[in-house]
Amino acid sequence: MRSLGSLGGLVGLGAAINNAGQVAGTSWLEDFSERPFLWDGTSGIQDLGSATGATTRAFAMNDASEVVGIDWALSAMAVWNDGVLSFVHHPTGATPFATDIN
């Protein structure tokens, strides 16, 4: 058991761990916005970024360090791959989000 730290807020939640020991999750900031993070033993906790700066969560990660989650403000599934954030929008306007990735 170890502390992963936070992105400056009071609460952080690890949501997924891969075989390399990296952890993806969400950190709540002091203004109560939510930011996704990636943690590893070398770099520590890193903010994955958000297009809106508002509530964005990470839910899952695979062994290639690809992280998936949601940007609630955009109503879109968020995908982080090598530090690049992209989005998947549902054609009907529903809010998609991924809870797992292989």
Side-chain angles (χ1 to χ4, degrees):
M1 185 85 106
R2 76 168 43 169
S3 172
L4 303 179
S6 76
L7 296 174
L10 302 174
V11 178
L13 172 68
I17 188 168
N18 66 14
N19 286 322
Q22 296 173 304
V23 178
T26 303
S27 183
W28 281 257
L29 304 182
E30 289 184 8
D31 66 0
F32 301 106
S33 63
E34 301 169 20
R35 296 300 294 252
F37 71 80
L38 179 66
W39 178 95
D40 68 39
T42 303
S43 302
I45 192 167
Q46 303 163 42
D47 189 339
L48 288 174
S50 169
T52 60
T55 300
T56 306
R57 289 186 185 178
F59 290 120
M61 175 178 49
N62 63 16
D63 286 336
S65 304
E66 296 168 311
V67 178
V68 294
I70 189 167
D71 185 309
W72 289 104
L74 294 179
S75 295
M77 181 175 68
V79 180
W80 294 269
N81 188 353
D82 289 328
V84 177
L85 174 59
S86 59
F87 297 98
V88 177
H89 296 274
H90 195 280
T92 67
T95 302
F97 62 94
T99 58
D100 210 350
I101 184 172
N102 65 15

